[in-house]
Amino acid sequence: MMNVNKKAIILVVFLSTLQGFSQEILTKNEALQIALENNFGIKIANNNLETAKNNTSIFNRGLLPTVALNSGANYSRNNQSLTFTDRGTGNDADISGSGVVSKTYNTSLGVNYTIFDGLGRKYTYQQLKETYNLTELQVKETIENTYLQLFTTYFQIARLSENTDNLSEALTISRRRLKRAKYQYEYGQSTKLEYLNAEVDVNNDRVTVINSKQLLNNAKRGLNVILGSKEDVNYRVETSVAQNKLMNYEDLKTKTLKNNSLLRQNKKNILISEFNIKINKANFLPSLNFNTAYGFNRTENANLINPFGAKLITSDGLNAGLNLSWNIFDGGITKTRVANAKIALENQQILLAQQKVTINNSLKNTWENYKNQLFILKVQEKNIQTTQNNFDRTQERYKLGQVTSIAFRQAQINLVNAKTGANNAKFDAKLIELQLLQLSGDILNVTF
């Protein structure tokens, strides 16, 4: 038996090459694997994580020295003249030359290293690590949202598929009734009004089926977007739903406060803000830098008009030094930055408190909604049995002419509504369950 990943790869190829093949069933696990590999939002989130990983590398910490190579050459060609004065005789002598060439070459290799910067590099690195951890949580949240979005659409397709089947079944019953009413009218056993009413009901049922199919097709196209599919592929989905047994409310609340993605992200933001304060405080301390350089210089004067001048000058050597700097007062810039960083930290702490209240309120509402939906599901399932029995009896009596077409139609509508209501309750309960799992940070562990 193929494993899930192999099946997902095969299905990706299948979905990208075939269109309009409605017999292929897209299972929940296959849809999940395809979304994890191809969803646009997840791809972007993973790229952001890769960027955060690059930012934590040793090349972005300021721990390595900088090395710079500089080299240059200059060429000059000038006309020059000199006047010499003989102090003994008082006579002047002029010497001139044209096209005097001078060439200069220089090369230097310098190394600079910051030995101490007030611990700014240390805190920056720790902040970058927490930023990476924050990005990991953001990726997790993106995947969780994709899970919920995927299965909301998937179950919507399943819901509409079953509802469409129910409506199609009702249309089939209405057509049989129309055929029966037509025969009865033609043989004078009923009035034309009965025939016309049956025809109107058939037309109404046809319109309802068409609208339901349109909604179904729209939902399938929406799922294609979530799956990252480039083709408008038609498929069927699984309509079976397994309701997982959730823990009690208090345990769910404890798990939510511990594992909720938004709360965990905010806690990381608090740590990042704390490191930001330390980074700014590092500017109060001195910095110590080491620098060294090796240089080579060469000057060639090919046609000096000064006969006593040197025609070739070269120099090379190694230089090294330490530089201590301490910005004792920078006009209050660092003090202001530290104060603002403390305010930013306080805002993150306030935001965390706000998020706890909001998420706790959402958890209460979702939990109550979940329990109510499970109760509604039981009631609707019981209604199906009742309305099915009522419809079967009414249909038999209608065939015997003991009930009117209006009563038969009402029994038919009641059955369709009961099936639709139970079907909606089944999928609504599952979606609310997934919302609870997302709040508690456990949606990625859900099994189908």
Side-chain angles (χ1 to χ4, degrees), residues 203-217:
N203 290 333
N204 288 335
D205 288 348
R206 289 177 61 189
V207 170
T208 304
V209 170
I210 291 173
N211 290 334
S212 182
K213 287 182 177 179
Q214 181 62 50
L215 293 174
L216 176 59
N217 291 333

Side-chain angles (χ1 to χ4, degrees), residues 223-243:
L223 185 59
N224 280 329
V225 174
I226 299 173
L227 295 177
S229 175
K230 298 179 181 179
E231 304 291 342
D232 188 11
V233 183
N234 193 17
Y235 42 77
R236 290 187 300 161
V237 299
E238 295 176 326
T239 57
S240 60
V241 172
Q243 303 291 343

Side-chain angles (χ1 to χ4, degrees), residues 10-76:
I10 292 175
L11 193 62
V12 168
V13 176
F14 177 82
L15 291 177
S16 64
T17 56
L18 294 184
Q19 298 185 42
F21 186 67
S22 59
Q23 299 303 313
E24 182 68 19
I25 295 180
L26 178 66
T27 67
K28 303 179 189 71
N29 285 326
E30 287 170 341
L32 180 58
Q33 291 298 325
I34 294 172
L36 291 176
E37 294 176 13
N38 297 332
N39 181 266
F40 300 114
I42 293 178
K43 286 183 177 181
I44 293 174
N46 285 330
N47 285 339
N48 291 337
L49 182 62
E50 189 66 23
T51 300
K53 181 180 179 181
N54 292 337
N55 288 338
T56 61
S57 71
I58 192 172
F59 302 107
N60 194 48
R61 301 181 201 171
L63 295 177
L64 299 178
T66 61
V67 180
L69 175 66
N70 295 292
S71 182
N74 293 297
Y75 173 87
S76 63

Side-chain angles (χ1 to χ4, degrees), residues 119-133:
L119 300 178
R121 291 177 302 181
K122 173 186 175 182
Y123 296 132
T124 298
Y125 172 57
Q126 292 175 335
Q127 186 185 60
L128 289 172
K129 287 198 301 183
E130 293 303 331
T131 302
Y132 175 80
N133 295 333

Side-chain angles (χ1 to χ4, degrees), residues 90-151:
N91 296 324
D92 294 336
D94 295 332
I95 301 176
S96 63
S98 62
V100 178
V101 175
S102 177
K103 300 177 182 178
T104 303
Y105 308 93
N106 63 85
T107 299
S108 66
L109 181 66
V111 178
N112 291 280
Y113 182 69
T114 300
I115 300 174
F116 180 75
D117 67 343
L119 300 178
R121 291 177 302 181
K122 173 186 175 182
Y123 296 132
T124 298
Y125 172 57
Q126 292 175 335
Q127 186 185 60
L128 289 172
K129 287 198 301 183
E130 293 303 331
T131 302
Y132 175 80
N133 295 333
L134 173 63
T135 308
E136 277 190 322
L137 292 175
Q138 291 171 342
V139 173
K140 181 175 181 291
E141 183 192 7
T142 299
I143 296 175
E144 288 178 348
N145 291 336
T146 303
Y147 262 60
L148 189 60
Q149 184 185 22
L150 170 68
F151 288 113

Side-chain angles (χ1 to χ4, degrees), residues 294-307:
Y294 174 80
F296 172 81
N297 295 278
R298 177 187 177 94
T299 302
E300 296 179 3
N301 296 314
N303 296 307
L304 284 175
I305 61 174
N306 182 1

Side-chain angles (χ1 to χ4, degrees), residues 155-164 166 212 241 243 373-374 376-377 380-381 384 416-432:
F155 288 135
Q156 177 68 358
I157 294 173
R159 180 205 310 264
L160 290 170
S161 296
E162 290 201 343
N163 286 346
T164 301
N166 292 333
S212 182
V241 172
Q243 303 291 343
Q373 203 62 46
L374 290 179
I376 292 172
L377 176 59
Q380 293 288 10
E381 289 174 342
I384 291 180
V416 172
N417 290 340
K419 288 182 177 180
T420 302
N423 192 46
N424 291 339
K426 175 178 68 174
F427 291 110
D428 286 343
K430 187 63 179 179
L431 290 176
I432 297 172

